[in-house]
Amino acid sequence: MSGWSFETLAVRAGQERSQFNEHSEALYLTSSFVFENAAQAAARFSGEEEGNVYARFTNPTVTALQDRLAALEDAECCVATASGMAAILSTVMALMKSGEHIVASRSLFGATQQMFGNVLPRFGIETSFVDEGSVDRFRAAMRPSTRLVFIETPSNPLTEVFDIAALAEVAHDAGALLVVDNCFCTPALQRPLALGADLVIHSATKFLDGQGRVLGGAVCGAKVLTEEVFKFLRTAGPCLSPFNAWVILKGLETLSVRMKAQSANALELAQWLETRPEVARVHYPGLVSHSQYELAQRQQSSAGAIVSFEVKGGREAAWRVVDNCRLLSITANLGDTKSTITHPASTTHGRISPEARLASGIGEGLLRIAVGLESPADLQADLLRGMA
Ligand SMILES: *Cc1c(COP(=O)(O)O)cnc(C)c1O
């Protein structure tokens, strides 16, 4: 495996053939495993002998996915979880305790904001949200009790780009860890660990599966950290189903080509949106007009498939665009080969208070498109219907 390129690893890494020598990855749909005898059962349970025991701990199909994803992120280890949110929760539960503190960017996936802002405080874990991407603001928010710095880059839905290398330094200077939600880029476009991050989080539900079929998540990084996440997972239970692992494994095989093609479509769409008089602003890191264009060029191999834009005329105008779509799916999911459109203020970010939403820059006219594999011309025609 060593020496293989990313494209090859995406197709080949992690597979161990069974006694039947199957060509495609096997799906082990079993919740438990049989032992040769009582002594082996005891040895497996005590950990004296390696091997599968019960699917809440390990399952070979899940292991294959973990090994493939670790190879792609260039991580020592990967632990798969039931969903992206399970990956974030398990990371916090495994590495933090009451009284400790998180520094996070303000613009985060809605449920992550909800978890950090409203759920974790009940367990004595506080989060400081940083409104701007500037490294100094992050540094100023650090406390002696800060354990994690958590960012998404590019962020959802405004595609703000955060400087992974600089923020790794801020975290490490304070004895904290940098955690990067790499959902929007996937390892095909960005490798946070190589830039100094300690852990990478994935919602495999999105681009890793890539066809909108299953929920899944993952945490990648050094074994000393992922081992703690695994210990939490095997006790608490938000682990990935073998069936979902198998679907995501097959999704990874086309990751590289999908990300390239969907990014190219997104760039074309973003450039077109910028020419439209109905559009006040386009957020896409591949546009020279994006305030962190240079950083995105340096940190990512392409700008990704998420484009957001503000239409003039607020919620009414935004909803008109959505309601006139016949091709783009009106759904909050993203990362699919089918393009999707959503109005963040009333959907993904609807549970956040209007003040917090405004602080995050998510206005009533904002729309987010996750660009798929349809032709950009057809997407433009679809959007134009509701703009006129
Ligand atoms: C969807 C998403 C999540 C949560 O993942 P689930 O699989 O839905 O639990 C986390 N972060 C980002 C950036 C996402 O888009």
Side-chain angles (χ1 to χ4, degrees):
M1 250 171 58
S2 65
W4 281 353
S5 70
F6 184 87
E7 287 75 12
T8 308
L9 290 170
V11 178
R12 297 282 184 174
Q15 184 177 12
E16 275 190 46
R17 297 205 164 94
S18 78
Q19 68 195 97
F20 301 114
N21 229 6
E22 66 282 351
H23 187 217
S24 178
E25 293 77 357
L27 167 54
Y28 294 98
L29 216 44
T30 182
S31 51
S32 74
F33 299 84
V34 178
F35 311 111
E36 302 278 333
N37 48 45
Q40 188 185 43
R44 288 274 178 90
F45 265 87
S46 72
E48 214 172 286
E49 179 184 310
E50 272 198 33
N52 298 295
V53 172
Y54 186 60
R56 178 155 35 77
F57 314 162
T58 58
N59 172 289
T61 311
V62 176
T63 304
L65 171 67
Q66 292 175 160
D67 290 350
R68 183 167 298 175
L69 204 47
L72 296 180
E73 285 289 0
D74 211 357
E76 186 183 2
C77 223
C78 168
V79 178
T81 58
S83 66
M85 292 318 300
I88 297 171
L89 179 67
S90 302
T91 300
V92 170
M93 296 305 269
L95 301 176
M96 296 187 72
K97 57 182 192 292
S98 172
E100 291 184 331
H101 175 244
I102 300 172
V103 172
S105 49
R106 171 74 69 185
S107 64
L108 288 176
F109 183 68
T112 311
Q113 241 186 58
Q114 184 77 6
M115 189 197 292
F116 289 0
N118 298 328
V119 178
L120 296 182
R122 289 198 275 123
F123 303 93
I125 295 173
E126 228 189 295
T127 298
S128 300
F129 291 102
V130 180
D131 287 328
E132 276 175 49
S134 94
V135 174
D136 291 340
R137 290 292 182 92
F138 275 84
R139 202 180 285 282
M142 301 298 287
R143 298 179 190 166
S145 60
T146 306
R147 179 85 175 113
L148 302 182
V149 176
F150 190 103
I151 57 167
E152 266 173 53
T153 182
S155 72
N156 180 28
L158 292 173
T159 73
E160 286 166 86
V161 179
F162 294 86
D163 190 330
I164 296 172
L167 290 174
E169 207 176 297
V170 170
H172 298 160
D173 285 350
L177 302 169
L178 177 66
V179 183
V180 177
D181 183 331
N182 201 22
C183 182
F184 275 28
C185 274
T186 82
L189 306 185
Q190 173 173 272
R191 310 284 156 74
L193 298 175
L195 295 165
D198 299 284
L199 287 170
V200 164
I201 299 275
H202 275 293
S203 168
T205 315
K206 313 295 167 55
F207 293 101
L208 300 187
D209 166 27
Q211 286 144 88
R213 299 167 293 194
V214 296
L215 290 181
V219 184
C220 304
K223 192 166 182 187
V224 285
L225 299 175
T226 60
E227 192 62 26
E228 295 304 312
V229 176
F230 172 69
K231 282 187 212 156
F232 173 77
L233 211 66
R234 61 174 278 167
T235 306
C239 48
L240 185 63
S241 107
F243 178 77
N244 290 9
W246 179 79
V247 171
I248 298 163
L249 257 175
K250 303 311 283 178
L252 286 180
E253 293 180 10
T254 55
L255 179 67
S256 208
V257 281
R258 280 189 284 108
M259 291 311 287
K260 273 192 199 118
Q262 289 176 226
S263 287
N265 286 353
L267 178 62
E268 194 173 331
L269 192 72
Q271 285 169 337
W272 173 77
L273 283 167
E274 252 191 340
T275 68
R276 294 303 311 174
E278 302 87 351
V279 173
R281 199 166 160 203
V282 184
H283 306 273
Y284 184 66
L287 294 175
V288 182
S289 60
H290 191 282
S291 59
Q292 292 132 327
Y293 174 77
E294 300 289 331
L295 174 60
Q297 290 287 307
R298 203 163 66 230
Q299 187 166 280
Q300 305 171 205
S301 63
S302 97
I306 310 293
V307 178
S308 63
F309 61 105
E310 282 153 41
V311 291
K312 295 173 186 165
R315 178 178 291 215
E316 202 184 318
W319 278 27
R320 194 164 54 238
V321 173
V322 172
D323 290 345
N324 278 286
C325 286
R326 290 176 204 161
L327 172 62
L328 284 135
S329 312
I330 308 170
T331 174
N333 196 22
L334 61 91
D336 201 304
T337 52
K338 295 179 175 72
S339 297
T340 64
I341 187 165
T342 194
H343 178 250
S346 58
T347 60
T348 51
H349 292 66
R351 281 186 301 171
I352 299 162
S353 72
E355 301 79 53
R357 213 160 44 227
L358 218 59
S360 313
I362 298 162
E364 290 291 333
L366 187 76
L367 292 170
R368 185 197 73 197
I369 296 180
V371 182
L373 289 176
E374 304 95 337
S375 104
D378 290 340
L379 296 176
Q380 288 167 20
D382 207 43
L383 292 170
L384 211 47
R385 202 176 302 113
M387 283 185 183

